[in-house]
Amino acid sequence: MTQPQFSFAFLAADTGDAREAAGRLSALYGHERPENAEIIVPLGGDGFMLQTLHETMGSGKKIYGMNRGTVGFLMNEYREEGLRERVDAAIAETLRPLEMRARDADGQVLKALAINEVSLLRQSYQAAKIRIAIDGKVRLEELICDGVLVATPAGSTAYNLSAHGPILPLHAPLLALTPVSPFRPRRWRGALLPNQSTVDLTILEPEKRPVNAVADHTEIKSVTEVRVRESHDMTATVLFDASHSWDERILTEQFRY
């Protein structure tokens, strides 16, 4: 049987383990520049995987991460042997990021993409006050909280889960809207939204209760308004080993408690 052939670009996080792994894999399989490679292989943890996905978003490149970090929920197991066969048998999943459009206190409008979540977080000792509208209709006049986030299915097991939000299967056409330490209404635990929804978050009393907005690792200080929706045209393709697919990881995560 003919061995599958792929050209690889091995990208290493800034750790000794990741750099050593990149060197060994490059010697075994060759190394192309990322723009010329068929398969991008980030070596590190979930943070480095997210960075790689942002850098390659919309390029059509396939990303096959291997864990040389701590958690590695987005990564495959690190093994040096049989990489071409593993990639050939891998399951491709398409991730669609969120688009964040934020207006800051100076009136400047800034945009960013988020694969995991867009989160609004209080900037000072004062709790945030946030009005929430879905598709132009106000659903919550005033949420008093430490923050609130909108998470994709891919990001539902990250910060969203830590904030007691729901875990979403990757193919669920949903977004999770989850409060962070809600004070009023105290019993509100968030909402599940259709993935075509547009979420408008308005900061109340922004000078007294300043709020920052974060899209993955992009932070915007002192926002007054934030609009979040799923991107219509940007995607990223991630490859997972068939023996440890994303669906299997989601199920496993739900039975860990």
Side-chain angles (χ1 to χ4, degrees), residues 112-153:
L113 295 175
I115 294 166
N116 273 354
E117 76 279 317
V118 171
S119 54
L120 273 63
L121 303 168
R122 66 173 180 163
Q123 192 182 114
S124 72
Y125 68 92
Q126 291 272 24
K129 287 187 177 181
I130 302 172
R131 178 183 297 128
I132 301 174
I134 310 297
D135 295 328
K137 182 175 181 178
V138 174
R139 294 291 182 176
L140 196 54
E141 285 286 353
E142 182 180 273
L143 172 65
I144 304 175
C145 58
D146 281 353
V148 66
L149 61 88
V150 182
T152 66

Side-chain angles (χ1 to χ4, degrees), residues 8-11 19-32 43 78 80 83-84:
F8 295 102
F10 297 102
L11 308 181
R19 289 192 293 268
E20 290 172 12
R24 291 195 297 268
L25 291 166
S26 296
L28 286 169
Y29 299 102
H31 174 77
E32 294 281 351
L43 300 159
Y78 178 77
E80 294 176 10
L83 180 59
R84 290 192 177 94

Side-chain angles (χ1 to χ4, degrees), residues 73 157 161 167 248-257:
F73 188 83
T157 58
L161 181 58
I167 295 176
E248 174 60 28
R249 296 174 200 216
I250 292 293
L251 281 172
T252 298
E253 194 70 29
Q254 292 182 85
F255 288 91
R256 278 186 173 169
Y257 302 103

